[in-house]
Amino acid sequence: MTSHVTTSIEPSGIRWQSILPIVAVLALAGLGLVSSDYIVTVLGFAFIYAIFCTGLNFFMGYTGQASFGQSAFAAIGGYGSAILCTDYGWEPLLALLATMVLSGIAAVLVGYPTLRLRGHYLAMATFALGLIVYEITIEWTALTQGYMGYSGIPPLGIAGFALDTLKHQLVALVVLSLIGVGIAARLRQSRFGRALASIAGSESAAQALGVDIARYKLIAFVIAALYASAAGSLFAHFVGFISPEIYGTTMVIQSFAMLYLGGIGTMWGPMIGAIIVSILPEALRGLKEMQDIAYTAVLIFILIFAPRGLAGLSVLFRRAHGRVQEKA
Amino acid sequence: MALLSVREETMRFGGLFANQSISFDVQEGELLAVIGPNGAGKTTLFNVISGFFPPTSGSIHFDGEDITGKSSHDVASAGLVRTYQLVQLFKQLTVAENVEIGSHRVTRGGVFSALFRPEWMREQEKSVAQGARDLLRFVGLEHQADMMADTLPYGRQRLLEVARALAAKPRLLLLDEPAAGLNTQETDALAEVITRIHGTGTTVILIEHDMSLVMKIAQRIVVLDFGKKIAEGTPDEIKAHPDVIAAYLGGTEMADA
């Protein structure tokens, strides 16, 4: 009989779990809207990174593959949007979509040969991809203006209605990142998502059940690239200025910290991680020279006590909840 | 016509013949066991049949179609599903999800149906979840459905792997030493499950070391030794076969069975 009780509480558990993060995100965004522009900027970065990490989670979390080069697709998105909007006067939204298509094509071309590699070799190959694109953004000055970067990129807008203020843009970023998480959750809870998870679990078992692992890895890589490209474009529009360092190795390291801290392979983990890793240094600013030490200490502390990431902690609540129900 | 037909299959690794000119047929609805001492080439035979590597020479036909050298996921898609000697579960997922993944072969849909959730897709998701529950009940794991797969005791992990393979609705199920590492009770439970699977009309090939299990449930036995087929027949014929007894060094295990 126990199983009947546990299955019957499951739907309410899932609903509670899916509403709470949305409320938390909206509350945070609301708090941002009544704060200074500085805080709005920090939150804006957080939600841009949330989009980037939600995409990366497809490849690294759900599918269990390593990519150190996803910043390359953010660079394609960012530079593509910058060039199309400032030099050619494109609509930002149109440029964002066009560069996503471009990134998707690039991901197929790069992914097809490299995804045959596994583990460390795949990590090295993707790392090289990031470095190559980084070098291109520096050296191909005719296209990218090198170290000078691109400035005067117009803010995001829809059909002629530009989102002039930072706060307008923050609202747009929150909405877009929530849509991003929603899409990820839908894709994960399907035959497609289960096929990705089977690859992370055991490639040979996945194959023995008829999963074409090369194909699914490639699709996960492309989806991650689409998210990365959108995040890169959004960054360009949000800040109005981009330069090569923005899409460099730091971006990769930041996103890894976010993924592991928030909970890799979970629905909300990437966003939770992105928000915390973005806000934490600002919250610790008062500590002055101790800031970096405190920041690192908090990160290590979280990883020791929540090795599966902060989103993994929700399992504790669910278990406690389930036990109470079973007794009743 | 035979469901599976292995013809003159040879698999060479450098100078070593892991399988040498092995031929046998499996009829629809049969329960065949492949036995042999360690290193006889049983798992190699499975790996070749299931497409993990192409044979050096010879051919494999499944349901009249030549599947020699096809990739493992293509072979699986055709309905020939295998399990592994070392349990290969999706450890980070729940028991129920493990079985749901098994239905990959018999379901459809990709990114777009997952995103837009048309009616057929929602129906399919329901039947996948229901089918998984039914299969867990079939192998006796219904109370563990929401546990993480790696928290199951070893014997139950074996049963879960079998349930997951069944979710693929195999026409031919290859079980690679399913009783390895199980105690007597667990082996009995497994034997009962395999017999019931066979009873539902699924063709089964079983590699096994546990002679009592093989003698109890197999209808026909193929014996390998040093990569060659040395005998083929019913359990009683195999027990009395002089080459088999010699291969098992006096056949103490046979006497027990």
Side-chain angles (χ1 to χ4, degrees):
Chain A
M1 283 317 287
T2 331
S3 75
H4 274 278
V5 182
T6 23
T7 40
S8 68
I9 62 131
E10 213 176 49
S12 74
I14 286 170
R15 222 173 292 136
W16 169 81
Q17 273 191 315
S18 55
I19 289 174
L20 190 72
I22 297 176
V23 173
V25 165
L26 293 179
L28 186 69
L31 206 65
L33 291 179
V34 296
S35 310
S36 68
D37 273 1
Y38 178 71
I39 290 176
V40 171
T41 309
V42 171
L43 285 175
F45 290 161
F47 287 107
I48 290 169
Y49 260 110
I51 294 171
F52 183 85
C53 292
T54 302
L56 189 57
N57 194 35
F58 267 94
F59 193 64
M60 291 189 57
Y62 300 154
T63 320
Q65 307 298 307
S67 174
F68 284 63
Q70 228 57 30
S71 58
F73 301 109
I76 293 176
Y79 273 94
S81 283
I83 293 164
L84 289 174
C85 295
T86 45
D87 293 353
Y88 297 94
W90 280 41
E91 277 275 321
L93 197 63
L94 198 63
L96 182 138
L97 294 173
T99 51
M100 277 175 78
V101 172
L102 189 66
S103 293
I105 295 169
V108 172
L109 295 178
V110 173
Y112 194 76
T114 48
L115 294 182
R116 290 158 186 272
L117 302 171
R118 287 185 188 179
H120 299 110
Y121 300 99
L122 179 61
M124 290 304 293
T126 50
F127 190 52
L129 168 69
L131 291 180
I132 289 166
V133 172
Y134 176 66
E135 286 301 321
I136 290 173
T137 57
I138 293 171
E139 301 294 338
W140 194 355
T141 47
L143 184 76
T144 65
Q145 304 184 4
Y147 281 117
M148 281 193 18
Y150 250 89
S151 55
I153 305 161
L156 199 64
I158 307 143
F161 177 75
L163 302 166
D164 296 323
T165 70
L166 280 176
K167 285 175 182 173
H168 282 152
Q169 295 214 44
L170 178 64
V171 173
L173 290 174
V174 170
V175 171
L176 287 174
S177 62
L178 285 175
I179 291 173
V181 172
I183 291 174
R186 280 193 148 215
L187 294 187
R188 172 62 186 84
Q189 286 150 19
S190 71
R191 175 178 184 263
F192 169 74
R194 287 193 293 271
L196 299 188
S198 74
I199 296 170
S202 159
E203 290 194 9
S204 40
Q207 281 175 311
L209 295 168
V211 177
D212 184 346
I213 57 173
R215 181 162 165 263
Y216 280 96
K217 278 185 193 174
L218 184 62
I219 299 174
F221 188 64
V222 170
I223 292 175
L226 296 179
Y227 273 81
S229 177
S233 295
L234 290 171
F235 186 95
H237 293 301
F238 185 61
V239 181
F241 168 79
I242 54 168
S243 61
E245 301 85 68
I246 289 164
Y247 306 115
T249 317
T250 327
M251 184 174 206
V252 175
I253 295 166
Q254 281 276 88
S255 60
F256 282 12
M258 292 165 176
L259 269 188
Y260 283 96
L261 196 84
I264 192 162
T266 63
M267 177 181 172
W268 287 102
M271 183 177 271
I272 295 170
I275 291 172
I276 291 189
V277 172
S278 303
I279 291 179
L280 202 54
E282 309 304 330
L284 298 172
R285 194 143 292 226
L287 296 173
K288 300 210 169 70
E289 62 272 23
M290 294 294 284
Q291 187 200 341
D292 283 346
I293 295 173
Y295 174 65
T296 323
V298 173
L299 292 191
I300 292 172
F301 187 80
I302 294 175
L303 285 174
I304 287 173
F305 289 98
R308 290 180 158 205
L310 291 169
L313 290 178
S314 67
V315 176
L316 297 178
F317 289 109
R318 195 169 53 187
R319 277 199 197 135
H321 193 62
R323 237 175 263 137
V324 172
Q325 292 277 326
E326 265 176 46
K327 274 181 199 152
Chain B
M1 189 186 58
L3 180 63
L4 181 78
S5 175
V6 178
R7 282 284 157 274
E8 300 289 320
E9 183 265 325
T10 296
M11 185 71 217
R12 222 179 82 189
F13 296 105
L16 175 83
F17 283 90
N19 288 165
Q20 204 169 345
S21 294
I22 294 178
S23 300
F24 64 93
D25 284 340
V26 183
Q27 303 300 329
E28 184 111 45
E30 227 186 334
L31 203 169
L32 175 91
V34 177
I35 63 168
N38 276 323
K42 303 182 297 287
T43 296
T44 301
L45 177 66
F46 260 28
N47 283 338
V48 170
I49 293 174
S50 60
F52 274 73
F53 29 71
T56 312
S57 64
S59 72
I60 320 288
H61 283 75
F62 178 65
D63 199 18
E65 196 194 334
D66 189 356
I67 58 163
T68 321
K70 280 201 172 182
S71 70
S72 48
H73 69 258
D74 281 336
V75 171
S77 299
L80 201 161
V81 178
R82 69 170 297 180
T83 65
Y84 289 88
Q85 194 173 344
L86 298 169
V87 185
Q88 297 270 356
L89 291 175
F90 307 128
K91 290 178 185 162
Q92 82 285 21
L93 303 176
T94 66
V95 168
E97 276 177 302
N98 265 270
V99 182
E100 286 170 10
I101 290 174
S103 62
H104 185 85
R105 175 181 108 76
V106 288
T107 49
R108 64 196 177 102
V111 173
F112 291 101
S113 65
L115 200 53
F116 299 110
R117 308 251 155 189
E119 182 65 28
W120 64 263
M121 156 80 180
R122 292 199 299 273
E123 288 300 318
Q124 180 179 279
E125 282 296 298
K126 269 185 222 156
S127 74
V128 163
Q130 187 54 46
R133 300 271 156 182
D134 291 345
L135 280 171
L136 287 175
R137 197 169 310 119
F138 183 78
V139 299
L141 286 175
E142 69 269 31
H143 296 303
Q144 282 83 22
D146 297 317
M147 282 170 68
M148 299 308 272
D150 60 349
T151 58
L152 286 180
Y154 186 73
R156 290 177 171 253
Q157 293 192 13
R158 283 273 176 204
L159 289 173
L160 175 56
E161 202 179 25
V162 172
R164 187 180 66 187
L166 288 178
K169 298 199 171 75
R171 297 197 52 203
L172 173 58
L173 180 62
L174 303 180
L175 299 172
D176 192 352
E177 292 203 28
L182 300 191
N183 64 32
T184 323
Q185 285 160 330
E186 288 169 333
T187 305
D188 287 345
L190 182 83
E192 198 251 334
V193 167
I194 296 172
T195 311
R196 275 194 286 140
I197 294 168
H198 179 228
T200 61
T202 309
T203 314
V204 180
I205 306 184
L206 172 74
I207 288 181
E208 196 43 74
H209 263 306
D210 190 318
M211 279 308 148
S212 60
L213 175 69
V214 169
M215 292 301 163
K216 193 160 67 186
I217 66 175
Q219 295 175 318
R220 213 155 54 85
I221 298 175
V222 166
V223 189
L224 301 186
D225 192 27
F226 292 112
K228 289 182 186 157
K229 185 174 94 175
I230 58 167
E232 180 178 347
T234 63
D236 287 334
E237 287 166 1
I238 294 301
K239 264 190 228 176
H241 201 291
D243 290 350
V244 177
I245 294 167
Y248 277 91
L249 290 172
T252 44
E253 282 185 275
M254 295 288 168
D256 291 344

